[in-house]
Structure formats: structure tokens, C-alpha cells
Amino acid sequence: PAKLRKTMTQASKAFSDGDYATALQLMEDAVKEFPTEAQAYASLAKMYSDLGLTDEAIKAYQDWTTARPEDARAFLGQAGLYESLGMNSEALESLAQYERIKDGAPDSYQSSASMYRRLGMPEQELNALSNWVDTAPTSPQAYLALGEYYRRNGDPASALSQYQQASMLAPGNVTAHSSLALAYQQLGQYENAQAELQTAISLHPGDTALQMRLADVYRRGGDLNAAIATYQNVIQQEPNTPAALRASQQIARLQQQLAAPPKALS
């Protein structure tokens, strides 16, 4: 409703100005006036949480779930609050309610996986991500997320296959090529990593972070001249920046390596 939007804008401004009492009063009144509007509860709960008023934040979520028992967002937000407070059992109960309402909807698995990761439950995280891929087989984001899980857990070969699938589905996705490069690098396949980073850079040519990564891969793969040239490109594109400083330091080290006499064979 327009009146609720106006009230929320006023409350947000008051909160930003440090007038917390006014902000809270506005949102508490809004919840009373609009008892079935999810955004009113969400805003009030966040304000309480930001101010460290955890009991009040918990109650705001409880009121939200009571007023809208089939609103999955309420239970997901509640789970996130409980997890941030170290109340893991309560977080899992709320997450279970969220998953019950969503009932296997593809968009639910990413949220569930993120929560399981925060709770330190890798098997459940993997199960959620696998279900996401199964229910959304044309989603590059699902494959990227599953690939990232494998990479974080020390399985670059499995990560690679997921990133490849994401790249096939979205060949113009910079993240897919960047992730492929990382997996190839972890597998020691530096030429493949270089090729993927070059593709990523062609898609996003102004990204000096990608160029720094390419230079690092050249360096690790033993192509010191290509590494120096790439670092020099970074300096030219972004002089007097932290990236340029790091590039200059790397160039100095690599030039010393190139100038050093070869070690005698024993």
C-alpha cells in the first residue's frame, strides 16, 4: 500500500539519521496497521536486529510467521537471525519450515545451501545444491554454485565439470570462465587456465583483477615474459593503484629471476 511505502521511507530516513526511537515507532505502528504485509515485519525485524535488540527481533519474526504462516520468506529470515545468534537448533527448525513451504521449488535450494554452509553442515549443503541442479538443469548459476562447493572442499576435478556445464549453458558468462580458470589452475593445467582467463578478459576487458590473475597464472606456469607483459598492461590501465603497485613488485621479482645466471648442473 502507498501509505506503508511512505511510512517505510520515513522510518528508513529516521533510522539513517540516528533517530532510532522514531524509526521503530513508525514501523511498530505500521505492523499494527498492516498486519499481513510482509515488508513491514521484515523492516521492523531488521531494525531491531541492527540495533542489537535480539529479543524484539525474534518476536517480530514470530509475529510475521504467525500472521503469514505460509510465507516462506518469514521462516528464512527467522532462520538467518537464529543462526547469527548461534541458536542453531532453532535455525534448523525455521529452515525446515521454509523448505516445507517451498516444497522443492528450484529457487529455494540456493537459500537452503547458503544456510547449511553457515551452519557448518556440508553434506546438507551438497544435497541442496545437487537438488538445485536436478530441478533447474538449464541454470548456469546452479552449476556454478555446485562447482564452487566442490572447489571449496578440495575437489577441483568435480568443480571443473560443473563449471564446464555452466560455461556451455552461458558462454558469455564471465564468472563461468573465471571459475574454470581457477579449477584448471588448481589442477596444474596452466595453459587451459590461461585460455579461460583470456576469454573472461575478452568479455570484460576493463577488469584488471582478471588481468592480474592471468599474469599470476603465466608466472606459475613458467612463462615469465608473458607474466611481465600482462603486469605492465595492468600498470598502464590503472596507474597509481594498489593493483599497479603489486604488478610493479612482481615485475621486479620476475626480472631478477630472468637476469639470474642459470644454476650449474651438479
Side-chain angles (χ1 to χ4, degrees), residues 1-261:
K3 184 178 180 181
L4 175 58
R5 292 198 300 272
K6 182 179 179 180
T7 299
M8 290 176 62
T9 299
Q10 293 171 337
S12 178
K13 184 179 185 307
F15 196 90
S16 297
D17 292 342
D19 188 356
Y20 304 129
T22 297
L24 289 173
Q25 189 63 59
L26 283 167
M27 290 313 306
E28 287 168 355
D29 290 344
V31 165
K32 292 176 183 176
E33 186 172 358
F34 302 98
T36 61
E37 290 295 330
Q39 195 57 46
Y41 291 103
S43 296
L44 179 59
K46 186 177 187 308
M47 285 185 181
Y48 281 139
S49 181
D50 289 346
L51 292 172
L53 301 172
T54 55
D55 289 343
E56 290 83 351
I58 289 172
K59 185 177 186 306
Y61 275 115
Q62 290 173 338
D63 290 344
W64 184 3
T65 58
T66 299
R68 297 173 59 94
E70 294 304 313
D71 189 340
R73 295 169 297 171
F75 290 99
L76 184 63
Q78 187 177 56
L81 175 62
Y82 282 137
E83 183 277 329
S84 71
L85 297 172
M87 302 170 64
N88 291 356
S89 296
E90 291 82 354
L92 283 172
E93 290 177 8
S94 296
L95 184 59
Q97 290 288 353
Y98 167 77
E99 292 176 332
R100 176 189 63 79
I101 295 168
K102 297 298 285 187
D103 192 25
D107 66 345
S108 71
Y109 292 116
Q110 183 177 19
S111 298
S112 294
S114 177
M115 184 62 61
Y116 283 128
R117 181 183 177 187
R118 289 159 59 186
L119 290 167
M121 303 174 69
E123 291 184 8
Q124 290 81 355
E125 180 189 0
L126 175 58
N127 184 60
L129 292 172
S130 298
N131 285 335
W132 187 12
V133 167
D134 290 341
T135 57
T138 61
S139 168
Q141 294 305 320
Y143 291 100
L144 285 172
L146 182 55
E148 180 63 13
Y149 170 89
Y150 284 127
R151 190 192 65 78
R152 282 189 285 105
N153 287 278
D155 188 354
S158 294
L160 181 66
S161 66
Q162 301 302 319
Y163 294 147
Q164 287 172 330
Q165 187 64 38
S167 179
M168 289 173 58
L169 289 168
N173 188 307
V174 174
T175 301
H177 293 288
S178 173
S179 299
L180 272 170
L182 191 56
Y184 277 127
Q185 183 177 340
Q186 290 181 332
L187 291 167
Q189 300 181 30
Y190 295 110
E191 290 186 3
N192 287 333
Q194 293 160 15
E196 293 299 335
L197 282 170
Q198 288 165 350
T199 300
I201 291 168
S202 71
L203 292 167
H204 199 197
D207 194 329
T208 54
L210 288 173
Q211 294 183 43
M212 287 293 290
R213 283 185 54 195
L214 177 59
D216 289 343
V217 171
Y218 279 133
R219 176 174 57 82
R220 293 176 185 275
D223 192 343
L224 304 189
N225 289 315
I228 289 172
T230 308
Y231 285 130
Q232 288 172 336
N233 287 337
V234 171
I235 296 171
Q236 291 173 359
Q237 288 188 28
E238 291 191 0
N240 304 316
T241 63
L245 175 60
R246 180 171 173 266
S248 296
Q249 293 171 338
Q250 290 289 4
I251 288 172
R253 292 191 186 99
L254 295 177
Q255 287 176 335
Q256 287 180 346
Q257 286 183 244
L258 288 170

